[in-house]
Amino acid sequence: MIGGLFIYNHKGEVLISRVYRDDIGRNAVDAFRVNVIHARQQVRSPVTNIARTSFFHVKRSNIWLAAVTKQNVNAAMVFEFLYKMCDVMTAYFGKISEENIKNNFVLIYELLDEILDFGYPQNSETGALKTFITQQGIKGQLQTKEEQSQITSQVTGQIGWRREGIKYRRNELFLDVLESVNLLMSPQGQVLSAHVSGRVVMKSYLSGMPECKFGMNDKIVIDKQGKGGASDDAGKSGKQSIAIDDCTFHQCVRLSKFDSERSISFIPPDGEYELMRYRTTKDIILPFRVIPLVREVGRTKLEVKVVIKSNFKPSLLAQKIEVRIPTPLNTSGVQVICMKGKAKYKASENAIVWKIKRMAGMKESQISAEIELLPTNDKKKWARPPISMNFEVPFAPSGLKVRYLKVFESKLNYSDHDVIKWVRYIGRSGIYETRC
Amino acid sequence: MTDSKYFTTTKKGEIFELKAELNSDKKEKKKEAVKKVIASMTVGKDVSALFPDVVNCMQTDNLELKKLVYLYLMNYAKSQPDMAIMAVNTFVKDCEDPNPLIRALAVRTMGCIRVDKITEYLCEPLRKCLKDEDPYVRKTAAVCVAKLHDINAQLVEDQGFLDTLKDLISDSNPMVVANAVAALSEIAESHPNSNLMDLNPQTMNKLLTALNECTEWGQIFILDCLANYTPRDDRESQSICERVTPRLSHANSAVVLSAVKVLMKFMEMLPKDLDYYGTLLKKLAPPLVTLLSAEPELQYVALRNINLIVQRRPEILKHEMKVFYVKYNDPIYVKLEKLDIMIRLASQANIAQVLAELKEYATEVDVDFVRKAVRAIGRCAIKVEQSAERCVSTLLDLIQTKVNYVVQEAIVVIKDIFRKYPNKYESVIATLCENLDSLDEPEARAAMIWIVGEYAERIDNADELLESFLEGFHDESTQVQLQLLTAIVKLFLKKPTETQELVQQVLSLATQDSDNPDLRDRGYIYWRLLSTDPVAAKEVVLAEKPLISEETDLIEPTLLEELICHIGTLASVYHKPPSAFDSDNPDLRDRGYIYWRLLSTDPVAAKEVVLAEKPLISEETDLIEPTLLEELICHIGTLASVYHKPPSAFVEGNHGVQHKGLPGSAGSHLSTPKQPASNISTMGKTKELSTDIRDKIVDLHKAGMGYKRIGKQLGEKISTVGAVIRKWKKHHTTANLPRSGPPHKILPRGVSLIMRTVRNHPKTTRGELMNQLKAAGTTVTKETVAKGTEHLHRIEGRMDGAMYCGILDQHFLPSVRELKMGQGWVFQHNNDPKHTAKATKEWLKKKHIKVLEWPSQSPNLNPIGNLWRELKIRVAR
């Protein structure tokens, strides 16, 4: 299991060092600094083996987190743990920066003591941790006996993510369907690969221990219902349903029930959390198409024309559109003309950045640029990185629709109708690239 | 005030101050002091001297302070075992505390204190805690058994903790079950033969129930443990699989991977015609693909594992090629792994797309990646016969780009294609030969030589080509030398008349002038073969189909064969035969001796053995050995599956035994590694200190040690230590600083060339000098050349006309003489009063010096004047 955990700043100075196992010595701290942080090259592998000691490292802004072990550990678990550790730290004191870590080092040690025991990850739910790891140590004494046992049962219990006795005057819940569309398109407009990875994020402000049931237009479920129901209904819903390739759920969802009945039922944590993640590849609405045209005029000039077409209902508006057209390294000057928005050549990023604030559906816009090149005798060709795009659209490109979210709470007397529910769809660009 | 202040470097005498603060009466001050101590500990300072004072703070009702003291204890108890006993009482008392959090904290910390005496006291509280009413305490105690076992295995067995731990598997709380499983698995690992984890259907049932309820981490522990179970029949394994499959939808990738491991293992038991088997295969693909949308580090782990899974069961992901397409922004390690899997999945159905992708990758920036992409194209050709033609033409296209490393890589793979499809694509040889000169890597040169030797009869100037290689024979690497030897012998057998001389030359080079045993051995083998029975040698070539001259395969370490033999070693990592990085290669030498003996004792048998028909190379070049693969499948998700090595290859054997030190240990100079890169020494200079020694000096300095002590400990001079620390204080780095200015544009030789020319022909212009330098190989601008100064003179006191004359007399005239300016020069100075003084004017007249007229008040005529102004302003500032 994990033998130790170190946190370094970008210079390689140790900010936090916690050793769990005897086989990890203080020298491991130095070994990692010398071999990885000071190596000054691109990281060639996230797992580094130095003198039979393995270092798992992730970098957050300019902070390095490294888990160290000498055993044959579960590698995926170690990385998941490191991400989780980052999440927990962010939940406690915001951004992970050198300053914040130094300011909270006592807290971090306390957290590390709690969520990692002898290298075995224990409960890492922020909600549960916050009940008993607070920055005021005195609180420990003020707790009554019931409170203490409640904490421990929550930490170890089946429903580690929710405590009892939560009360809200207004029972409310917010559902955000956040999708990111990933696309790789060939210069000829052929889709090489496209997928949507979506998340359903829920903010719940519900009293008691509510039992929730979540439904969406999953093809398998709809088809099943369609068989039993009227035939014309099946035809109609068949169009609207989507095929989900795969989905993963938050800890709270009963996986066995999903596996057998494909129904999503759970007791939600309080506050904001990610209910599920899913991935679809079929029938994706690609919100934008990028049509590039690159022409080399002689050896010192390049003409680029890029057309973007929006492909959704004209009543909807896409926002924060940004097209990034890479330019060769030996670019000396760029002239840009664009129909809409603003375009700028950023020499430091080697790209023309074209920004459009808003754009309605079924529209088209164009940019043309003349790129002057310095003559070079460099034989190596320019790699022509793909044109990438960022945007935000107010619908789900996968076509996912939330059909219902039912809330049942038997003990307290509020019913499904009393809960105020909000749903929002946001589609964002993931890696949305067109080769040119 | 924030806590970051504790990290600031402090002055000497700090320890004493801390001591005073720790013993202060004020609670707040105490806590501050402990925080300071912990901060120093983190940074690496030795604060063990404060042990008794810190332990004194342990008796507190402040939980935060208590935790800090515990942290200190865990770190230093081992170095002060006697003092650590002082803490025992508090621990035992805390284990009885009404607050379960404090009970758990005490038992957790106690287990981390690795002092034998303390473990004795630990037993009783631990026994109580294992049966505690609170699950939180029980789950902590379960892990504590594993800790205790690590310190003193015998004690744990004697005290019967193992049985209590086994009972915990039936606990009502899922988290306790998970921790008990984790602890038992770890203990079982160190007793491979013990029957600790006797998994029977009942316990399996309990574990599978707990699986649904416990935390994500607990699920991982349980799944990892389940993978060790061997079901009795296919019915049981199916029911386990059914109960594990829901885990594939978990958000935690580690849970998913562990579930995949269990399923992969139990699938073996299922009959393949079972419906369920097919369903299961279908269910495995989506979660594996989903893993690829995780963070890059996890993607890497997933990809390494998918690599194994695809080899074992290619049918799972055969339709998922697209997800392995490389994205431009993927980190390099993800890219390389994806490429590997793409090749594994390549089939006739998708080869067109794959080739198009690979061609795209071959134009990227990262050299390693591009090389691998080129190699992949070759592997596709070998794997999918129908695509071979297209692959070869793609490779030829790539060769046309003339990018050096692409060409070399392409040639290496084309060699393999020739080996797979002899006599099919020789038409490309001409193109390959065009690029002969650009090959500078041994592997590519060897491959090219192999091709030339192999198809010698089709290449008109094969002897010339090989001869050109022979010129620098001794500078070549062994690989190339061996290949060259073989190729020339082949050539000789094909065209004996014109190449007699060449073969003589290479044989003598190999046997007489070389001190490489492998080369010498091979040389002698050929020599003997050719000299004793040239007819037989020729017959061999004539009798066999003239395509593959078997001799090459005799000793030539075909890359493929080598790789398969060396799977898991560095060789398979580098994709190079060991000889490329290991000069003393026993395999090769042994083989040489075997051949030698064989040939000298029984040539007939030798012919039979050696010239036997070789099998064509297999489709997959770097498959993992089946037994290893089997083992790795059982380790899916673990570190072993990432390294593709069995755990024994990188895990230290004995637990609880003192382990070998790592490089860079602070304090002991024995384990100081010498960094080869930073050890490059130049003549006349002493070795440069490696960065980690410098780091260590700084660390020790930070820890409050003096220069003298540091120097003694590390065996460096005090002055060196001082220099390193001064540099660190000033620049906050120990790395080499960037050089202080640009390097000289003109080499010393160039400078002397300029000086010589100017001395002999003072009127040479800068342009001429520039051209001259260009001819000598240095291209510089005119301005760079035009540097030559006269003497500099320091002026003391106020200068007047007389003094100026003196200067001119003493320095100016000798300068003129020295620069050999002859007569045709003009002197220029400004209208400073002393320059225009009567005495000066007279002196100039007397010496017949031509002075350039200088209009008054016009610095603009003298551009340098503007610079002086700037300089004066800066100096005055």
Side-chain angles (χ1 to χ4, degrees), chain A residues 8-9 11-15 26-34 38, chain B residues 9-10 14 40-47 663-668 690-707 709-711 713-714 721 724-726 728-729 732-734:
Chain A
Y8 300 85
N9 65 7
K11 282 186 234 158
E13 291 164 0
V14 201
L15 304 177
R26 175 85 201 164
N27 41 27
V29 182
D30 302 333
F32 181 74
R33 176 181 48 226
V34 171
H38 286 176
Chain B
T9 31
T10 38
E14 181 204 15
S40 311
M41 195 174 82
T42 304
V43 178
K45 277 186 214 166
D46 184 20
V47 281
S665 101
S668 82
S690 69
T691 22
D692 51 330
I693 295 190
R694 284 184 252 165
D695 283 336
K696 198 173 298 162
I697 291 175
V698 173
D699 284 347
L700 293 177
H701 172 70
K702 277 197 260 176
M705 273 164 92
Y707 291 2
R709 268 185 68 194
I710 298 174
Q713 192 166 17
L714 297 174
V721 172
V724 171
I725 290 171
R726 272 194 304 281
W728 174 77
K729 276 187 179 156
H732 293 284
T733 176
T734 55

Side-chain angles (χ1 to χ4, degrees), chain A residues 146-216:
Chain A
E146 289 90 74
E147 272 177 317
Q148 286 163 5
S149 65
Q150 199 192 321
I151 288 171
T152 57
S153 76
Q154 194 200 334
V155 172
T156 58
Q158 282 185 29
I159 308 165
W161 54 87
R162 191 180 179 93
R163 65 190 165 88
E164 300 228 19
I166 298 172
K167 276 221 173 74
Y168 286 102
R169 224 153 43 116
R170 225 156 83 115
N171 289 303
E172 222 173 354
L173 66 86
F174 301 84
L175 273 179
D176 280 349
V177 178
L178 307 169
E179 296 199 335
S180 72
V181 208
N182 297 282
L183 169 76
L184 185 63
M185 202 181 246
S186 75
Q188 291 76 35
Q190 186 192 2
V191 177
L192 295 174
S193 74
H195 75 271
V196 168
S197 54
R199 305 186 296 144
V200 179
V201 176
M202 182 172 169
K203 252 187 246 171
S204 71
Y205 303 106
L206 300 172
S207 314
M209 280 293 195
E211 176 75 42
C212 296
K213 217 174 159 189
F214 176 68
M216 53 191 178

Side-chain angles (χ1 to χ4, degrees), chain A residues 21 30 40 44 54 72-75 80 83 103 109 114 117 120 122 124 141 152 246 248-249 251 279, chain B residues 2 42 61 67 134 136 147 179 186 214 217 249 252-253 286 290 297 322 368 637-640 643 664 735:
Chain A
R21 299 257 169 166
D30 302 333
R40 287 191 197 172
R44 298 304 274 203
S54 299
N72 185 24
V73 300
N74 188 326
E80 281 284 0
Y83 301 142
N103 280 335
Y109 276 124
E114 187 58 45
D117 190 4
Y120 290 106
Q122 304 292 310
S124 53
Q141 279 73 54
T152 57
D246 186 36
T248 59
F249 295 99
Q251 179 74 25
R279 186 170 53 82
Chain B
T2 54
T42 304
D61 36 2
K67 282 182 179 171
D134 197 292
Y136 183 76
K147 292 181 191 170
N179 274 3
E186 184 172 332
C214 64
W217 313 114
S249 307
N252 189 316
S253 331
T290 303
E297 289 88 1
K322 278 187 178 175
D368 285 349
T638 66
L639 200 50
Y643 290 145

